[in-house]
Amino acid sequence: MDHRSRNIILRNKANLELKIDLEQLKPHLVKHKIFSRAMLKDIFETRECDLYTELLTRGPDALGKFLRALNDAEYHEEAKILSPSETLRLQTRMCYKMISKPLGYCKIINNVKFDFNIMEERFGSDMDASELSRVFYEIGYEVFTEHNLTDYQMRESLEKFAANDWTKVDSCIIIILSHGDTSDNQDMIYGVNNIGISKMDIYEMFDNRHCKQLQDKPKIFIFQACRGVREDNGVKESTDATVVRPVKRPFMSDMLVVHSALPNHVSYRDFEKGTWFCQDLVQVLSSDYLNDPLETMLQRVDRKMGIRLSARNMKQVTHIDKYGLKADIYFCLNNLTELPEFYIPFNSS
């Protein structure tokens, strides 16, 4: 018996012992030539081994024969659970359907130079915007980039973007590179006129009320911006050792929001190479998008950022918010050897 079949039996052994009457099953085990009557008598009388452990030794076809015996004995549900195809299905993680061409539309807003120099010029951000545009185009998105927008222009641009025809694409990405802050417990992202927009207002433009064509499709928001003035000093290492069917759709769902920094913290930027976060994000996406889900790649981004240290010995980590995210986001499903099961919206037939 191969390793996979052995694991199926061992993983379900306790459940089988609880639910199956072996006396009822015995004649079917003999009928399908899994065991002889003498072997079964020995198993049940000596008690030196149990039926399911002994089943592992009965050859490469033993699992298939055992499934037929279960069905003959009217244990159809148990046979279904043990079938390799069902076991694989149960183990497979859900993913969003991401097969359209293009995969979706990606909007990048890159704010660099701010009015009256009230906020410092964001040197290096043009490099971030260029590299992000390149990598998401390579992944399969149609990318639209705008530069140096006021708060009003940002709202107008995003509302127009949300009004796109989303029926023929499977996802949406919004990337904003700018200054940011936290004000009255709200995350703000600034236009070049030094007036901010609440990030929550941006999410609402694409929520299930305002953008119905994006319902049940992943919406990815990426913000490269400070969220306050705190700096992370780091910490020295210590040497001490039943599903209810929904009847309503939530206002916000299927959203993954990636912030370059923790709440109230700064985000670091190299004047020539761009921000730490965007540099590492582009590098990880470029190398791994063919095989890995987005959240796995974001973990790698954080590991890379964890190595970095500012000139003042400060650290930075990302912060991820999820609003009703129900499945993995793969950018290249066609490259996977085993296709994950698509997430099926609750209102689908």
Side-chain angles (χ1 to χ4, degrees):
M1 183 178 291
D2 63 37
H3 180 71
R4 181 176 164 194
S5 298
R6 289 172 61 89
N7 282 344
I8 290 173
I9 293 171
L10 292 173
R11 189 164 48 245
N12 290 279
K13 182 172 177 285
N15 186 52
L16 293 171
E17 289 173 340
L18 182 66
K19 293 188 175 182
I20 291 178
D21 180 352
L22 293 178
E23 289 297 326
Q24 180 182 340
L25 187 62
K26 274 183 186 180
H28 304 287
L29 296 173
V30 174
K31 172 187 172 183
H32 289 283
K33 299 181 179 179
I34 305 171
F35 299 101
S36 67
R37 286 187 174 85
M39 293 173 69
L40 288 174
K41 182 179 179 181
D42 186 61
I43 290 171
F44 286 101
E45 288 183 0
T46 64
R47 302 292 180 184
E48 291 180 359
C49 63
D50 63 81
L51 179 82
Y52 301 106
T53 302
E54 193 65 16
L55 181 62
L56 304 178
T57 69
R58 301 307 299 156
D61 300 327
L63 179 58
K65 292 178 180 179
F66 186 62
L67 295 180
R68 291 193 288 275
L70 287 174
N71 279 314
D72 286 354
E74 304 296 328
Y75 287 109
H76 303 299
E77 194 61 33
E78 287 71 24
K80 181 181 178 183
I81 291 172
L82 287 179
S83 68
S85 59
E86 180 69 3
T87 301
L88 178 61
R89 188 190 72 79
L90 292 172
Q91 290 178 326
T92 300
R93 297 183 68 180
M94 288 280 187
C95 73
Y96 285 100
K97 181 174 73 71
M98 296 273 284
I99 57 176
S100 63
K101 292 184 179 181
L103 276 178
Y105 303 133
C106 173
K107 163 72 77 175
I108 299 175
I109 295 177
N110 175 38
N111 290 340
V112 177
K113 192 171 179 61
F114 291 75
D115 293 351
F116 312 114
N117 294 320
I118 292 176
M119 296 185 183
E120 69 173 25
E121 188 168 345
R122 298 185 61 256
F123 294 106
S125 190
D126 286 336
M127 176 66 75
D128 287 344
S130 175
E131 285 295 284
L132 287 165
S133 176
R134 177 191 62 77
V135 75
F136 280 109
Y137 176 79
E138 179 183 326
I139 287 171
Y141 283 84
E142 192 169 334
V143 181
F144 306 90
T145 303
E146 294 185 273
H147 301 272
N148 296 322
L149 304 185
T150 65
D151 71 307
Y152 174 79
Q153 290 170 331
M154 288 170 67
R155 287 182 186 275
E156 189 175 51
S157 175
L158 290 168
E159 286 171 354
K160 183 178 179 181
F161 185 61
N164 265 319
D165 179 2
W166 299 97
T167 57
K168 296 180 180 178
V169 297
D170 289 334
S171 61
C172 165
I173 298 178
I174 296 96
I175 302 173
I176 302 182
L177 316 172
S178 190
H179 284 303
D181 201 353
T182 302
S183 176
D184 296 327
N185 293 320
Q186 287 196 74
D187 254 346
M188 307 296 290
I189 194 90
Y190 285 97
V192 295
N193 59 340
N194 307 298
I195 298 175
I197 302 177
S198 164
K199 290 179 182 176
M200 190 59 67
D201 288 348
I202 296 173
Y203 308 153
E204 288 179 356
M205 296 180 195
F206 298 86
D207 69 16
N208 291 326
R209 289 176 298 179
H210 298 99
C211 196
K212 295 185 185 299
Q213 290 182 355
L214 277 174
Q215 289 176 356
D216 300 309
K217 297 179 180 182
K219 296 162 280 289
I220 302 162
F221 299 83
I222 299 174
F223 295 101
Q224 168 52 57
C226 290
R227 303 175 75 190
V229 296
R230 289 185 186 174
E231 294 185 292
D232 186 342
N233 292 303
V235 177
K236 290 185 178 180
E237 291 188 8
S238 170
T239 56
D240 297 337
T242 324
V243 179
V244 178
R245 189 177 181 85
V247 294
K248 285 187 177 180
R249 185 186 298 277
F251 286 144
M252 291 172 57
S253 65
D254 311 292
M255 291 185 178
L256 177 68
V257 184
V258 186
H259 308 272
S260 63
L262 293 174
N264 304 306
H265 281 68
V266 299
S267 187
Y268 294 103
R269 174 168 37 89
D270 183 287
F271 283 6
E272 294 181 358
K273 297 178 181 178
T275 57
W276 291 3
F277 169 65
C278 289
Q279 288 179 59
D280 292 341
L281 177 63
V282 167
Q283 185 175 354
V284 171
L285 286 172
S286 296
S287 63
D288 299 342
Y289 81 88
L290 288 172
N291 298 302
D292 294 326
L294 178 56
E295 287 188 78
T296 297
M297 290 188 281
L298 291 172
Q299 291 171 10
R300 293 195 186 112
V301 171
D302 244 350
R303 288 199 292 271
K304 290 177 71 67
M305 287 178 62
I307 301 171
R308 292 181 179 270
L309 202 62
S310 76
R312 299 178 59 245
N313 290 323
M314 299 298 174
K315 306 292 290 181
Q316 179 184 337
V317 295
T318 62
H319 176 206
I320 296 174
D321 290 320
K322 292 185 279 189
Y323 300 95
L325 195 72
K326 307 180 196 71
D328 285 329
I329 300 171
Y330 284 90
F331 290 125
C332 195
L333 288 172
N334 291 337
N335 201 54
L336 303 183
T337 55
E338 290 184 351
L339 187 66
E341 184 176 354
F342 287 158
Y343 160 68
I344 301 173
F346 66 77
N347 61 335
S348 296
S349 56

